[in-house]
């Protein structure tokens, strides 16, 4: 299949960062449960308030102030507006502070109010009298924006289903599963520190387009997986299963379409990413080597039709979010 991941534009970040959630075929999915664990932080500040009340600005300024004191910052970017911060984890000495946007669609409240979790109410800064004058326009914009997000989710769901159907066909008709499993087994042999798989979401279908954060790029070795007959997702699935089975510490990125799309092994300073034309890689894994050529030749016309349909649905999902963007920023203004 024509690789959808060619659609993702890489955003270069000065700090370590991930997306805090994603617009998927099932609507918005939040990763807060795995990212914001109040019990692990010295203090957790949950920032509340409507659009345009300065939540992202407050979090950004807190991170900048802490950075001047020598703190390490991990950014949580908004999966709908990648330029906006949904949160930040700040580590300085033996203290770790977390800031998180606690409004919908990733509603969050303190588990231990006061003792570890604090609510910061940016809503106290808005001008209710002025906003009442714009109530009808705000209601209309909010309704239209929600409609565009729902429309985008339907297109994303259709794209995901087409890709799943192609994967099922690839798995049963032309994937050399034993050969692929043997290869990923060799990649994960040797001495590794035991650890868990962390979910670090690097891709998002957003109001700014299809975006990818460079979280897995700052490594010594980058291995690109080149698509062939919609089998690259099966490589990432196989590698992730090997790492999990052997209890090897790694970071895994799940795409908005639900499949694993990038893997990083910190101990080896190695990342596995989808191949993109023009990219600089230390090595390339061509998925053609793990397919039965005679099998993959069958149904070529149907497969190409599926490619066109998936890309059309994906682009339509992005178009809907572009429409939502206009409403979103008028609401913020």
């Amino acid at each position: 299949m024509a690789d959808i991941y060619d659609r993702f534009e890489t955003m270069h970040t000065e700090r370590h960062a991930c997306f805090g959630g994603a617009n998927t075929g099932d609507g918005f999915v939040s990763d807060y449960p795995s990212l914001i664990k109040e019990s692990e932080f010295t203090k957790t500040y949950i920032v509340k308030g409507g659009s345009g009340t300065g939540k992202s600005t407050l979090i950004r300024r807190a991170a900048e102030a802490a950075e001047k004191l020598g703190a390490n910052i991990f950014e949580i970017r908004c999966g709908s507006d990648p330029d906006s911060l949904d949160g930040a984890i700040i580590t300085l000495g033996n203290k770790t502070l977390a800031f998180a946007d606690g409004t919908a669609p990733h509603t969050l409240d303190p588990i231990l109010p006061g003792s570890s979790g604090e609510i910061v109410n940016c809503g106290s800064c808005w001008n209710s009298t002025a906003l009442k004058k714009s109530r009808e326009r705000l209601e209309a914009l909010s309704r239209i924006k929600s409609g565009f997000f729902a429309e985008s989710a339907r297109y994303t769901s259709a794209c995901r289903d087409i890709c799943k159907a192609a994967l099922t066909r690839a798995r049963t008709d032309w994937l050399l599963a034993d050969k692929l499993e043997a290869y990923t087994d060799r990649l994960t042999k040797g001495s590794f520190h035991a650890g868990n798989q962390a979910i670090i979401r690097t891709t998002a279908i957003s109001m700014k387009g299809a975006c990818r954060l460079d979280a897995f790029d700052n490594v010594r070795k980058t291995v690109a997986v080149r698509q062939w007959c919609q089998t690259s997702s099966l490589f990432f699935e196989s590698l992730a299963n090997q790492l999990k089975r052997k209890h090897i510490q790694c970071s895994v990125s799940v795409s908005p379409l639900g499949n694993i799309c990038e893997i990083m092994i910190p101990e080896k300073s190695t990342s596995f990413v989808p191949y993109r034309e023009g990219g600089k890689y230390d090595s390339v894994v061509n998925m053609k080597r793990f397919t039965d050529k005679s099998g993959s030749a069958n149904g070529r016309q149907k497969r190409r039709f599926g490619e066109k349909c998936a890309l059309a649905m994906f682009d339509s999902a992005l178009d809907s979010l572009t429409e939502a963007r206009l409403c979103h920023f008028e609401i913020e203004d």
Side-chain angles (χ1 to χ4, degrees), residues 140-214:
L141 287 168
S142 296
R143 183 175 61 254
I144 295 168
K145 175 185 170 182
S146 295
F148 281 128
F149 269 93
E151 183 179 81
S152 177
R154 288 193 290 271
Y155 283 126
T156 303
S157 177
C159 179
R160 178 189 62 192
D161 290 345
I162 294 168
C163 291
K164 279 186 175 180
L167 274 177
T168 299
R169 180 78 184 275
R171 196 191 302 271
T172 57
D173 287 6
W174 54 75
L175 177 72
L176 301 176
D178 291 342
K179 187 175 181 179
L180 176 59
E181 186 173 355
Y183 180 73
T184 55
D185 178 54
R186 291 195 298 273
L187 288 176
T188 53
K189 279 186 175 177
S191 177
F192 290 89
H193 290 303
N196 298 319
Q197 284 190 2
I199 303 298
I200 303 293
R201 198 182 292 271
T202 60
T203 57
I205 300 173
S206 77
M207 294 186 292
K208 194 179 178 180
C211 298
R212 172 187 177 267
L213 298 176
D214 60 353

Side-chain angles (χ1 to χ4, degrees), residues 78-89:
C78 176
S80 295
D81 178 13
D83 292 326
S84 179
L85 281 186
D86 270 353
I89 298 172

Side-chain angles (χ1 to χ4, degrees), residues 45-111:
Y45 295 98
I46 299 172
V47 188
K48 301 277 191 175
S51 295
T53 55
K55 300 186 298 296
S56 179
T57 300
L58 185 149
I59 295 169
R60 190 179 302 279
R61 289 181 179 176
E64 290 170 351
E67 201 167 38
K68 291 178 181 178
L69 298 175
N72 291 320
I73 312 296
F74 183 84
E75 293 183 345
I76 301 173
R77 296 290 185 102
C78 176
S80 295
D81 178 13
D83 292 326
S84 179
L85 281 186
D86 270 353
I89 298 172
I90 300 169
T91 304
L92 181 62
N94 61 356
K95 292 184 178 181
T96 302
L97 308 180
F99 286 79
D101 180 340
T103 55
H106 34 61
T107 305
L108 190 66
D109 289 298
I111 296 173

Side-chain angles (χ1 to χ4, degrees), residues 115-315:
S115 61
S116 66
E118 295 280 357
I119 290 178
V120 180
N121 183 18
C122 285
S124 64
C125 301
W126 59 36
N127 186 334
S128 296
T129 302
L131 289 170
K132 283 180 183 177
K133 298 176 183 178
S134 302
R135 176 171 173 170
E136 288 186 8
R137 181 58 179 160
L138 287 168
E139 286 180 342
L141 287 168
S142 296
R143 183 175 61 254
I144 295 168
K145 175 185 170 182
S146 295
F148 281 128
F149 269 93
E151 183 179 81
S152 177
R154 288 193 290 271
Y155 283 126
T156 303
S157 177
C159 179
R160 178 189 62 192
D161 290 345
I162 294 168
C163 291
K164 279 186 175 180
L167 274 177
T168 299
R169 180 78 184 275
R171 196 191 302 271
T172 57
D173 287 6
W174 54 75
L175 177 72
L176 301 176
D178 291 342
K179 187 175 181 179
L180 176 59
E181 186 173 355
Y183 180 73
T184 55
D185 178 54
R186 291 195 298 273
L187 288 176
T188 53
K189 279 186 175 177
S191 177
F192 290 89
H193 290 303
N196 298 319
Q197 284 190 2
I199 303 298
I200 303 293
R201 198 182 292 271
T202 60
T203 57
I205 300 173
S206 77
M207 294 186 292
K208 194 179 178 180
C211 298
R212 172 187 177 267
L213 298 176
D214 60 353
F216 289 6
D217 289 355
N218 189 25
V219 292
R220 290 195 300 269
K221 183 179 181 181
T222 303
V223 181
V225 182
R226 190 161 197 166
Q227 186 75 279
W228 176 257
C229 294
Q230 190 57 19
T231 53
S232 63
S233 293
L234 299 176
F235 171 89
F236 289 106
E237 178 186 297
S238 176
L239 180 59
N241 287 339
Q242 295 280 8
L243 292 165
K244 186 174 183 178
R245 183 172 62 83
K246 297 176 183 180
H247 305 288
I248 297 172
Q249 184 182 11
C250 64
S251 295
V252 170
S253 176
V254 179
S255 87
L257 298 176
N259 58 295
I260 297 171
C261 61
E262 296 188 2
I263 295 176
M264 180 174 65
I265 306 175
E267 185 181 353
K268 301 297 183 182
S269 191
T270 299
S271 288
F272 297 84
V273 300
Y275 178 88
R276 293 176 177 84
E277 290 295 337
K280 295 181 179 179
Y281 308 111
D282 296 287
S283 62
V284 175
V285 177
N286 192 333
M287 289 305 296
K288 186 183 289 190
R289 65 189 284 192
F290 303 110
T291 59
D292 179 344
K293 307 303 183 298
S294 60
S296 60
N298 296 330
R300 182 175 296 154
Q301 186 175 356
K302 185 177 181 180
R303 188 171 70 245
R304 287 177 177 172
F305 176 71
E307 293 172 7
K308 292 179 180 179
C309 290
L311 290 172
M313 294 299 101
F314 187 82
D315 290 340

